[in-house]
Amino acid sequence: MTRKIVHLAVYDTQADWETGHATAHLAQNGFTVRAVGLTTEPVTTMGGLRIQPDLALDALDPADSALLILPGASLWDTGDKLAPFARAARAFLDAGVPVAAICGATAGLAREGLLDDRAHTSAVSFYLEATGYRGGERYVEADAVTDRDLITAGPTEPVAFAREIFARLGVYEGEQLDAWYRLFHDSDPTAYEILSA
């Protein structure tokens, strides 16, 4: 992977817990994480944290990125305010640049038609069915799913979500990837030795 910048979408009401494992370990492994907002105005997360975006969405170019991460947020289910991020995801996927969406962001991608022909997951199948999308037969009951350049996960699976991101970007592979997951998902102390070797 030559591009070492990962773009994290940030917006009001975003779920703080869903992307922390991914962004922290990407940053520790040579990636720069840049926050992209609808504008460069600060946003406030569900947890009350204030985030200043590094750039506005209209300045985001898939050619400058290794990955776009879309966290969940209440706003995904209360109107079309975040629809521009789903359109950006389409541009990324069309350019062959991966997208990772978790929780409510999966509903945004469903509305955009990006889950109609890809295996995917979310919180529960009927959550996505409510969007009116046509990809229901491609829904998978799993912690996280990768199909081509698209990674999806439900809101309770930030560790599995991060694992899929690391696998796609080559951050951890094979035994190390498995050890990372066992350490952070299962609290398996034997995994630490493998990671620190």
Side-chain angles (χ1 to χ4, degrees):
M1 180 63 61
T2 55
R3 290 170 290 184
K4 299 292 271 188
I5 296 174
V6 168
H7 288 95
L8 171 67
V10 296
Y11 22 74
D12 289 330
T13 74
Q14 86 176 52
D16 307 63
W17 65 92
E18 293 176 343
T19 60
H21 286 285
T23 56
H25 289 272
L26 287 168
Q28 291 173 13
N29 284 279
F31 286 84
T32 299
V33 179
R34 297 194 69 207
V36 57
L38 284 170
T39 69
T40 55
E41 291 299 309
V43 299
T44 304
T45 69
M46 273 189 201
L49 296 179
R50 195 166 178 212
I51 300 174
Q52 177 75 51
D54 296 304
L55 73 158
L57 186 58
D58 61 6
L60 181 62
D61 184 344
D64 298 331
S65 189
L67 173 75
L68 174 62
I69 301 175
L70 300 174
S74 300
L75 286 179
W76 283 112
D77 298 320
T78 57
D80 294 331
K81 183 171 183 178
L82 299 184
F85 284 102
R87 290 192 292 275
R90 178 178 294 284
F92 268 64
L93 293 170
D94 288 348
V97 180
V99 172
I102 187 168
C103 188
T106 62
L109 297 189
R111 288 184 202 95
E112 183 66 19
L114 295 174
L115 304 184
D116 289 350
D117 66 346
R118 291 176 174 88
H120 59 275
T121 195
S122 185
V124 289
S125 60
F126 57 82
Y127 171 64
L128 293 183
E129 287 167 11
T131 69
Y133 86 130
R134 289 181 245 159
E137 64 190 32
R138 311 270 322 205
Y139 188 88
V140 179
E141 291 289 348
D143 295 343
V145 173
T146 299
D147 187 343
R148 291 168 280 166
D149 285 324
L150 182 63
I151 297 163
T152 53
T156 61
E157 298 300 335
V159 178
F161 184 61
R163 177 194 61 206
E164 298 301 303
I165 289 170
F166 301 154
R168 180 61 184 80
L169 297 182
V171 175
Y172 300 114
E173 296 175 328
E175 188 180 26
Q176 269 206 320
L177 181 63
D178 177 65
W180 183 89
Y181 184 74
R182 286 188 294 112
L183 180 62
F184 287 95
H185 187 267
D186 304 329
S187 300
D188 180 350
T190 65
Y192 183 77
E193 257 183 63
I194 297 166
L195 275 177
S196 59

